[in-house]
């Protein structure tokens, strides 16, 4: 699933049922992601792979995003489950400072 398709699905979250649908898609995307691709991190964004391969990095990316857009209220007014779904989408990608050099 492309990142755009995943974020579009996150934007459709309005209640528990649509949130669970989003979670299922995110899990399936994670399971189908090629975690051991040859280039590891370099081509992950282009190929829609999960860059975050650890819970630590997944949570750090979410926390980093939450400390900016989320805490600044840019998503105020959106259903809380939609905001959480968006945060989970962000967790898929590493923060710049976490990318191996």
């Amino acid at each position: 699933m492309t990142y755009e398709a995943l974020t579009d699905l996150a934007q459709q979250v309005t209640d528990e049922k649509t949130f669970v649908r989003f979670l299922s898609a995110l899990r399936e995307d994670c399971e189908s992601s090629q975690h051991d691709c040859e280039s590891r991190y370099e081509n992950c964004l282009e190929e829609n792979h999960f860059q975050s391969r650890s819970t630590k990095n997944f949570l750090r990316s979410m926390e980093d995003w939450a400390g900016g857009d989320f805490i600044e209220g840019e998503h105020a007014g959106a259903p809380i489950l939609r905001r959480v779904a968006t945060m989970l989408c962000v967790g898929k990608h590493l923060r710049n400072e976490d990318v191996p050099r």
Side-chain angles (χ1 to χ4, degrees):
M1 174 175 280
T2 67
Y3 184 70
E4 291 80 18
L6 194 60
T7 55
D8 286 348
L9 195 55
Q11 293 307 307
Q12 296 172 27
V13 171
T14 56
D15 56 17
E16 290 79 3
K17 185 176 181 178
T18 53
F19 182 72
V20 170
R21 187 178 322 138
F22 164 79
L23 281 179
S24 294
L26 182 65
R27 178 192 46 78
E28 289 171 6
D29 187 41
C30 182
E31 289 174 353
S32 68
S33 182
Q34 298 176 10
H35 289 284
D36 54 355
C37 62
E38 278 186 36
S39 55
R40 298 227 3 117
Y41 297 95
E42 290 82 1
N43 294 324
C44 289
L45 285 175
E46 297 168 9
E47 298 182 22
N48 295 306
H49 297 174
F50 262 63
Q51 284 184 299
S52 295
R53 299 197 176 114
S54 71
T55 305
K56 174 189 80 169
N57 284 335
F58 188 85
L59 293 172
R60 286 176 76 160
S61 291
M62 288 174 48
E63 181 182 25
D64 190 54
W65 177 83
D69 286 358
F70 190 73
I71 204 165
E72 295 297 325
E74 288 188 32
H75 299 271
I80 189 66
L81 288 175
R82 183 178 304 153
R83 290 183 265 170
V84 172
T86 302
M87 193 181 301
L88 290 169
C89 283
V90 171
K92 179 177 176 174
H93 303 288
L94 288 174
R95 302 175 317 153
N96 285 336
E97 55 265 35
D98 292 331
V99 175
R101 308 278 180 220

